[in-house]
């Protein structure tokens, strides 16, 4: 029986996450959550917490589920940074294209709803959003981008990734989303080529001090 209860709670939490994802925090009532999970109000409070507590658990579930996918995509960043970033965006594009899932991104929607969230829930949503930038920065640094460049590109890539979710809700086509990703990945590829040429010149200058010093161009 204990195993069955755990399965039921996992299923209910997943259903609650989809409900919040589809309609947002403000437009999701306890009655909506009751219908989605199959639990009455009393059971929701006793098993899953109140609305804020349940929403926090749903944010954590979403962040863990897709965070693991993003981490797997970026795992080859040290040797293939461009392919890793493309795979990172593929996780988002595949999620958007899944007809079984709501449009958009639960975390992005939550951050945009901060004015109606409690301070603790708002802080949790902002932290979840920040994790995406941090994992991108770590991957880009492993891919031989300098600290400042890695941070700047991580901020940019995270912003693009969130915009894909927003644009998908606004009706952007898969081709349009793919084109946006292409521009970002091409920019990273060019930045890495420039850095590689500069590093080669720096290495040559170190080996041969009388050779011209590398320029920043």
């Amino acid at each position: 029986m204990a195993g069955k209860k755990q399965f039921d709670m996992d299923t209910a939490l997943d259903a609650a996450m989809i409900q919040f994802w589809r309609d947002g925090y403000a437009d999701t009532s306890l009655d909506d959550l009751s219908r989605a999970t199959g639990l009455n109000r009393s059971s929701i409070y006793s098993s899953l917490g109140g609305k804020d507590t349940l929403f926090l658990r749903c944010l954590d579930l979403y962040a863990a589920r897709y965070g693991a996918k993003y981490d797997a995509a970026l795992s080859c960043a040290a040797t293939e940074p461009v392919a890793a970033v493309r795979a990172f965006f593929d996780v988002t594009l595949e999620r958007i294209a899944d007809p079984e899932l709501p449009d958009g991104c639960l975390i992005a929607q939550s951050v945009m709803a901060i004015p109606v969230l409690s301070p603790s829930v708002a802080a949790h949503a902002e932290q979840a959003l920040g994790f995406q930038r941090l994992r991108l920065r770590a991957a880009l640094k492993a891919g031989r981008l300098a600290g400042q460049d890695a941070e700047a590109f991580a901020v940019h890539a995270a912003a693009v990734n969130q915009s894909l979710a927003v644009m998908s809700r606004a009706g952007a086509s898969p081709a349009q989303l793919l084109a946006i990703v292409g521009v970002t990945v091409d920019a990273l590829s060019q930045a890495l080529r420039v850095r590689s040429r500069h590093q080669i010149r720096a290495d040559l200058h170190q080996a041969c001090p009388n050779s011209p010093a590398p320029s920043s161009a």
Side-chain angles (χ1 to χ4, degrees), residues 65-79:
R65 181 172 297 173
Y66 290 101
K69 292 178 182 291
Y70 286 130
D71 287 339
L74 292 170
S75 62
C76 66
T79 55

Side-chain angles (χ1 to χ4, degrees), residues 37 60 104 131 160:
T37 62
D60 286 343
F131 285 150
V160 170

Side-chain angles (χ1 to χ4, degrees), residues 13-214:
L13 187 59
D14 196 74
M17 181 188 73
I18 295 295
Q19 174 62 43
F20 280 126
W21 188 353
R22 179 176 292 112
D23 292 343
Y25 175 87
D27 291 332
T28 294
S29 67
L30 279 175
D31 287 337
D32 293 327
L33 292 168
S34 180
R35 283 190 292 270
T37 62
L39 301 172
N40 59 36
R41 285 172 172 247
S42 176
S43 295
I44 289 175
Y45 274 104
S46 63
S47 301
L48 298 172
K51 183 178 175 180
D52 273 11
T53 301
L54 177 53
F55 186 61
L56 287 174
R57 293 180 68 175
C58 289
L59 276 178
D60 286 343
L61 173 62
Y62 183 95
R65 181 172 297 173
Y66 290 101
K69 292 178 182 291
Y70 286 130
D71 287 339
L74 292 170
S75 62
C76 66
T79 55
E80 300 179 85
V82 176
V85 171
R86 186 178 294 278
F88 172 89
F89 284 121
D90 285 344
V91 171
T92 300
L93 295 176
E94 288 169 8
R95 188 191 70 222
I96 289 171
D98 189 340
E100 299 298 317
L101 297 175
D103 291 332
C105 167
L106 177 60
I107 292 173
Q109 291 164 215
S110 302
V111 171
M112 289 188 288
I114 277 178
V116 302
L117 301 179
S118 69
S120 61
V121 175
H124 207 76
E126 288 180 324
Q127 183 184 50
L129 184 66
F131 285 150
Q132 194 165 97
R133 176 184 60 81
L134 293 175
R135 63 168 46 94
L136 279 163
R137 184 180 66 184
L140 291 166
K141 288 180 73 173
R144 299 179 302 282
L145 270 183
Q148 187 174 359
D149 291 339
E151 171 66 16
F153 201 90
V155 170
H156 173 77
V160 170
N161 199 50
Q162 295 304 323
S163 74
L164 297 175
V166 174
M167 292 181 68
S168 73
R169 275 212 157 191
S173 69
Q176 289 173 318
L177 300 180
L178 192 60
I180 293 169
V181 168
V183 170
T184 303
V185 172
D186 287 348
L188 173 62
S189 180
Q190 181 177 356
L192 287 169
R193 285 198 299 270
V194 169
R195 177 165 177 76
S196 179
R197 289 197 297 267
H198 182 70
Q199 186 60 50
I200 290 172
R201 287 196 294 267
D203 291 344
L204 287 173
H205 180 69
Q206 185 175 13
C208 305
N210 293 328
S211 64

